[in-house]
Amino acid sequence: MLACLQRFLNRPLAEDFSFRNQLFSSLRGGVYVFLFISFFITARFVPTLSRTQMLVLLAVGVVIATLFANVAIPRLFPQLYDEDRWTVWKHSLHTVLVLFCVSLSNHLLLVLTDNQTPSFGGMFLSVTIIGFFPITLSVLLAQQRQLKRNLKQAQVLNEGLLSRHMAPVLAPVSESAEVPVPTPQALISLVSSVGKDRLTLQPAQLLVIESVGNYADVYWLHEDTLQKTTLRLTLKEAETTLASHPQFFRCHRAFIVNVQAIHHTAGNTRGYQLTVSKLPQEIPVARGYVEAFDQKIR
């Protein structure tokens, strides 16, 4: 039982803390609070404000509080809100934080308008009961839809990858036909931004470039054997160097991959996981790169 709970809490989740996405989410929260209090809570407010005006004020407070919790706090603490490490348990704790901010907003508005105010503990308990399960359920349902979409699309991409790898083998060649000579591709030279370190490769040799701080780990093949070279090079600099080679794709903030070396694609809630020739670890495709990756593989 504990093992099942632990697996559930450690499940990966994809969350978008961008202002645009969270603005729509906050507006939905404000509308939800307005409608819930209108229909299910009969509390009376001071006569200086009508019931409708007070409900609008509380709804606006919810919008501002949720925007603060979902936009400002993740930007203040980016390491804690790393999307690549976002899980169910982290999202549950964050939901409690959102509800705390909403409770604080409601409490302050009631005090400032001279309304009868419950204790903050009572307010927080009420807000948690009203909001925790709808928020959590909506997130999990959205994640299930995203997972279903990514799994289905990964299957389509794998069919394309399979046909791409098999095409040269299955193409009929007559005995009298001339076999076309492949056009040689320009060499790739990855040069360290400091010093004289240089790595020169054929495009087919280069598999993946991974950003590690101010350095880049370059994974490449030498006579079918995997090699790793570390250069003082940013991913942006590597991306500029590879701009004339369309088979290379920036799939994540920390990875550039050779799409011609991809053997398999697996879907998850965050995006895709790529299996690359000879590479032991999978390469992630982040949510923000999924649509461009789909177009690239097609």
Side-chain angles (χ1 to χ4, degrees):
M1 182 67 179
L2 289 177
C4 291
L5 179 61
Q6 186 176 16
R7 283 197 300 270
F8 173 75
L9 292 176
N10 287 323
R11 277 178 53 187
L13 285 180
E15 183 58 272
D16 183 1
F17 290 109
S18 67
F19 178 80
R20 180 190 175 105
N21 182 69
Q22 294 304 329
L23 177 60
F24 286 115
S25 177
S26 298
L27 290 173
R28 287 196 301 268
V31 172
Y32 171 76
V33 168
F34 180 89
L35 294 175
F36 187 91
I37 298 177
S38 297
F39 289 105
F40 298 106
I41 297 180
T42 58
R44 293 183 178 181
F45 301 106
V46 294
T48 53
L49 290 173
S50 68
R51 179 177 172 82
T52 301
Q53 289 175 322
M54 194 64 210
L55 292 181
V56 169
L57 188 60
L58 290 172
V60 170
V62 168
V63 172
I64 295 173
T66 52
L67 276 176
F68 173 77
N70 290 329
V71 177
I73 292 180
R75 292 186 181 183
L76 289 172
F77 304 99
Q79 291 185 337
L80 293 178
Y81 286 84
D82 185 353
E83 293 183 11
D84 294 332
R85 296 178 176 85
W86 200 246
T87 58
V88 170
W89 74 265
K90 288 184 178 180
H91 191 83
S92 298
L93 288 179
H94 178 72
T95 299
V96 173
L97 174 63
V98 173
L99 296 172
F100 176 86
C101 292
V102 171
S103 302
L104 184 61
S105 170
N106 289 347
H107 189 79
L108 289 175
L109 287 172
L110 290 175
V111 169
L112 292 174
T113 54
D114 295 324
N115 278 285
Q116 185 176 358
T117 309
S119 66
F120 181 77
M123 174 69 74
F124 181 61
L125 179 61
S126 300
V127 170
T128 300
I129 292 172
I130 294 171
F132 185 85
F133 291 104
I135 292 174
T136 302
L137 181 61
S138 66
V139 169
L140 292 178
L141 289 175
Q143 296 299 322
Q144 282 300 113
R145 289 194 297 270
Q146 186 66 31
L147 176 60
K148 185 177 180 181
R149 181 265 178 206
N150 288 345
L151 289 173
K152 182 178 179 180
Q153 188 60 27
Q155 185 176 0
V156 173
L157 295 176
N158 285 329
E159 292 172 358
L161 290 171
L162 181 62
S163 63
R164 178 182 295 181
H165 290 305
M166 292 181 64
V169 178
L170 299 178
V173 179
S174 64
E175 293 182 2
S176 60
E178 293 185 4
V179 179
V181 177
T183 304
Q185 292 183 292
L187 294 175
I188 296 170
S189 290
L190 298 171
V191 183
S192 176
S193 56
V194 177
K196 299 180 180 180
D197 293 335
R198 177 188 295 264
L199 180 64
T200 302
L201 302 168
Q202 292 282 351
Q205 288 182 276
L206 179 56
L207 301 178
V208 169
I209 301 177
E210 179 183 4
S211 174
V212 185
N214 292 324
Y215 291 83
D217 287 340
V218 183
Y219 296 89
W220 56 284
L221 294 177
H222 175 65
E223 296 181 352
D224 213 34
T225 301
L226 182 65
Q227 307 287 329
K228 175 183 171 182
T229 301
T230 300
L231 297 173
R232 188 170 179 84
L233 183 73
T234 67
L235 213 61
K236 184 64 178 177
E237 292 169 336
E239 197 173 13
T240 301
T241 301
L242 298 172
S244 60
H245 299 273
Q247 69 263 49
F248 295 98
F249 178 75
R250 175 80 173 264
C251 62
H252 187 276
R253 67 183 178 185
F255 290 96
I256 295 175
V257 65
N258 184 345
V259 297
Q260 294 180 357
I262 299 171
H263 282 190
H264 186 265
T265 304
N268 59 25
T269 55
R270 291 173 180 157
Y272 302 129
Q273 293 291 120
L274 307 178
T275 301
V276 177
S277 175
K278 302 295 183 180
L279 208 64
Q281 71 268 33
E282 292 183 322
I283 304 301
V285 179
R287 183 187 62 252
Y289 296 89
V290 164
E291 290 187 9
F293 180 78
D294 292 345
Q295 296 297 323
K296 190 75 173 179
I297 296 298
R298 289 173 187 168

